[in-house]
C-alpha cells in the first residue's frame, strides 16, 4: 500500500540555499531524502514556498499567506495520508509584531481548516531556532534580538496546538540548526539530519498500520508457503500412489508367474503319475497274458489300483502341505514386521519424560538474560548471574567510596576493576554509585564530581575530556508501562552515549537512550530526554537547545586565557 505525505512549509521545505539563493536539488532537500529513506511504501510531496507564513500577508513577498493557499494544496494532492506542516519562522519577522502565542493561534486555525478538508493524519513541526547572530546578518532588518528569543519560546506553543487538534509533534530545533551563513536556512548536512528525524517520526505515526500490514504480508507469505507445501505434498502422494500401483502390478505379475510355474510343475507331477499308471496297466496286461487264472489277474489289478490311489493321495497331501507352509511363512513375516514396528514405536516414546523435560527447561530459564539486557530486549532482572554481578559492583563501589583523598593509586586500581574501559587520567570523586560498572566506558581525562550515579544496565559510553558536575545521574534502565508486566520484574534498557569535550552541569539527569554530541555544554539542573547535537549550549526541563557555540565564543575565551597567562 502506497502512503502519500504532503509537506507544507516555507523556504526550508522548498530547499532555499543560503549560499547562492538557488534551490537545492531533490536529493539534498529534506523532503527528497525522506522520500528515499521511507522506500517504496511512501510518496513524499514537496509543497514548500519561500517566505510562506501561517496567516500574515507579507508586504514584501506577495502570495505567501499559508491560509490563502492551503485549500488549493489539499485539493491538488488529495487523497493523501499525512500532512506535515512546518511553518512559523517567517511569522516571527519584526514588522508582523507577532508573539509565539499569536503564531500558535493562527496555526490552530490552519489545523482546524485541514481537519475540515481531509481525514489525513497531521504532523506539526516546530521550526529550528534563529541563529544567535542573525541580527548581524543580511536578514537583520527582518529579524532582531527579540525574534531570536521568540524562536526559543515557539516550540511549546506549537506542541500545545498539536495536542489540541490530535496531531503528532516534532521539535526541529533538537534535530537541525540554521546555517552560519544567514542564521535562517539549512545547509545540506542539516537537511540530512532533518530527514532522518522525520523518517523515524513518520514511521511512529504509521506504526500500527505498518505492523498490521507487515503481519498480513507475513500471513499471506505463510499461506502461500503452506499452499506450495500442500501442492508438493499432493504431488508426492500422487507419485507414491503411482509407485505403489507399479509395485503392486509388478508383485501381481510375479505372483501370477509363480502360480503358473507351480501349476506347470503340478501338471508334470500328474503326468508322471499317469505315465506310471499307463506303465502299470501295461504290466497288468503283460501279467494277464502270463497268468492263467482270471482270479490271480483280478487280484493283481486290484492291488495295483490301490497303490495308484495311495500315490495320488500322497501327491495331493504334499501340495496341500506346501500351500499351508507358504501361508505360515507369510504370517510369520507379518508378525515379525509388526514386532519391528512396535519396537520402533516404543523407542520413539523414550526420548524424554515430561519430568526430565521440565527439569531441563527450568535449568535453562536463566540462560542469556545478560545478553538480552545488553541488546535492549526484556530481561529478568533477578537472574542469579545479574544479581551476582550487581553485588560485586556494590562491593567495589563501597571500597572506592571508603578510600582516603591521598589514595589515588588504590582509587585508580578499583576503577579499572569496576569500569569496562577507562582512558588515561580519569578521576571520579567519591561517593559514586553504579549498577554493574562493567558496562561503563570512559575516555581520556574523564572527571566526575561528587555524588554521581550511573545506572549502567545498558552501555554508557563517555568520550574524551568529559566533565560531570556534582550529582549528575545517568540512567539506562527502563520499565514496562503495563503494571502487570512490570510487576514480574521484567525490565529493559537503552544505552547512553556522550561525545568528546562535553561539560555537564550539576544535578543534570540524563534519561535512557540519549545521545549527546561533541563540544556540548548542558546547563545545571537539566533533564535530558532527547538527543543533543554537536556544538550547542542546552538547558532546561525538558532540556532544549539554548544557542549554538560559535566562533565568537572561541575568540572570547581565548582572550580570557591570554589575560590569565599574562597574570
Amino acid at each position: 500500500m502506497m502512503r502519500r505525505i504532503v509537506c507544507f512549509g516555507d523556504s526550508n521545505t522548498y530547499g532555499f540555499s543560503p549560499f547562492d539563493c538557488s534551490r537545492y536539488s531533490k536529493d539534498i532537500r529534506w523532503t527528497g531524502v525522506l522520500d528515499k529513506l521511507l522506500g517504496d511504501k511512501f510518496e513524499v510531496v514537496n509543497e514548500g514556498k519561500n517566505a510562506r507564513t501561517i496567516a500574515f500577508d507579507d508586504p514584501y513577498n506577495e502570495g505567501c499567506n499559508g491560509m490563502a493557499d492551503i485549500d488549493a494544496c489539499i485539493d491538488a494532492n488529495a487523497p493523501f495520508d499525512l500532512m506535515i506542516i512546518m511553518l512559523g519562522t517567517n511569522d516571527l519577522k519584526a514588522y508582523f509584531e507577532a508573539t509565539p502565542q499569536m503564531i500558535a493561534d493562527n496555526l490552530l486555525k490552519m489545523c482546524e481548516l485541514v481537519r475540515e478538508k481531509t481525514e489525513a493524519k497531521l504532523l506539526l513541526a516546530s521550526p529550528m531556532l534563529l541563529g544567535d547572530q542573525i541580527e548581524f546578518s543580511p536578514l537583520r532588518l527582518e529579524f532582531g534580538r527579540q525574534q531570536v528569543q521568540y524562536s526559543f519560546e515557539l516550540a511549546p506553543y506549537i506542541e500545545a496546538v498539536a495536542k489540541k487538534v490530535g496531531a503528532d509533534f516534532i521539535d526541529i530545533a533538537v534535530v537541525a540548526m540554521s546555517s552560519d551563513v544567514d542564521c535562517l536556512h539549512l545547509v545540506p548536512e542539516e537537511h540530512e539530519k532533518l530527514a532522518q528525524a522525520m523518517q523515524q517520526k513518520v514511521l511512529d505515526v504509521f506504526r500500527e498500520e505498518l505492523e498490521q500490514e507487515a503481519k498480513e504480508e507475513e500471513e499471506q507469505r505463510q499461506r502461500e508457503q503452506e499452499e506450495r507445501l500442500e501442492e508438493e505434498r499432493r504431488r508426492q502422494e500422487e507419485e507414491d500412489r503411482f509407485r505403489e500401483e507399479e509395485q503392486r502390478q509388478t508383485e501381481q505379475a510375479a505372483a501370477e508367474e509363480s502360480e503358473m510355474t507351480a501349476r506347470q510343475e503340478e501338471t508334470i507331477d500328474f503326468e508322471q503319475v499317469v505315465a506310471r499308471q499307463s506303465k502299470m496297466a501295461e504290466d497288468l496286461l503283460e501279467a494277464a497274458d502270463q497268468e492263467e487264472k482270471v482270479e490271480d489277474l483280478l487280484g493283481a489289478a486290484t492291488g495295483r489300483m490301490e497303490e495308484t490311489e495311495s500315490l495320488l493321495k500322497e501327491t495331493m497331501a504334499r501340495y496341500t502341505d506346501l500351500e499351508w507352509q507358504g501361508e505360515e511363512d507369510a504370517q510369520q513375516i507379518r508378525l515379525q514386521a509388526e514386532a519391528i514396528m512396535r519396537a520402533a514405536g516404543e523407542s520413539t516414546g523414550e526420548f524424554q519424560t515430561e519430568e526430565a523435560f521440565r527439569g531441563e527447561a527450568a535449568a535453562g530459564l536463566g540462560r542469556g538474560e545478560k545478553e538480552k539486557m545488553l541488546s535492549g530486549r526484556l530481561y529478568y532482572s533477578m537472574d542469579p548471574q545479574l544479581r551476582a554481578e550487581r553485588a560485586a559492583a556494590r562491593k567495589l563501589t563501597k571500597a572506592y567510596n571508603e578510600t582516603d583523598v591521598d589514595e589515588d593509586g588504590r582509587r585508580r586500581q578499583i576503577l579499572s576493576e569496576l569500569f569496562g574501559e577507562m582512558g588515561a587520567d580519569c578521576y571520579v570523586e567519591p561517593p559514586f554509585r553504579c549498577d554493574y560498572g562493567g558496562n561503563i566506558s570512559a575516555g581520556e581525562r574523564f572527571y566526575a564530581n561528587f555524588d554521581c550515579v550511573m545506572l549502567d544496565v545498558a552501555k554508557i559510553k563517555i568520550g574524551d575530556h568529559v566533565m560531570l558536575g556534582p550529582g549528575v545521574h545517568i540512567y539506562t534502565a527502563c520499565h514496562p508501562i503495563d503494571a502487570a508486566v512490570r510487576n514480574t520484574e521484567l525490565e529493559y534498557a537503552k544505552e547512553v552515549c556522550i561525545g568528546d569535550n562535553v561539560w555537564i552541569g550539576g544535578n543534570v539527569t540524563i534519561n535512557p537512550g540519549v545521545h549527546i554530541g561533541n563540544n556540548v555544554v548542558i546547563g545545571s539542573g537539566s533533564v535530558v530526554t532527547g538527543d543533543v547535537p554537536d556544538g550547542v549550549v542546552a538547558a532546561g526541563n525538558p532540556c532544549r537547545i539554548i544557542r549554538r557555540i560559535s566562533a565568537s565564543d572561541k575568540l572570547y575565551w581565548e582572550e580570557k586565557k591570554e589575560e590569565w597567562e599574562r597574570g
Side-chain angles (χ1 to χ4, degrees), residues 38 102-103 133 308 314 320 348 403 424 469 484 492 512 545 560:
L38 288 173
M102 295 168 60
I103 294 172
Q133 304 298 314
T308 299
E314 179 185 348
T320 302
T348 56
T403 57
Y492 66 103
I545 298 171
K560 292 296 181 183

Side-chain angles (χ1 to χ4, degrees), residues 6 97 102 188 191 227 277 281 323 328 341 393 490 495 550:
V6 177
E97 298 182 349
M102 295 168 60
H191 273 275
E227 288 174 359
Q277 289 177 337
E323 291 176 359
E328 183 182 46
M341 292 171 64
L490 290 175
E495 74 172 21
S550 63

Side-chain angles (χ1 to χ4, degrees), residues 231-269:
E231 179 63 26
E232 178 65 21
R233 185 188 65 79
R234 287 196 296 267
R235 186 186 65 78
Q236 188 63 43
E237 288 181 351
E238 185 64 28
E239 290 181 359
D240 291 344
R241 283 195 295 271
F242 176 77
R243 283 195 295 268
E244 289 173 1
E245 178 62 23
E246 193 176 50
Q247 180 67 20
R248 187 190 65 78
Q249 292 177 0
T250 301
E251 292 175 353
Q252 182 177 356
E256 290 174 353
E257 183 178 355
S258 177
E259 182 180 355
M260 183 178 295
T261 301
R263 287 177 178 175
Q264 289 174 350
E265 292 176 353
E266 182 178 351
T267 301
I268 292 171
D269 286 344

Side-chain angles (χ1 to χ4, degrees), residues 4 11 16 24 70 176 226 254 256 261 306 309 311 344 365-366 372 527 561:
R4 189 174 174 86
S11 54
F16 181 88
Y24 290 130
I70 194 167
E226 289 172 358
E256 290 174 353
T261 301
E306 288 176 355
E309 183 179 356
L311 180 59
L365 277 177
K372 296 175 188 175
V527 178
K561 179 174 176 290

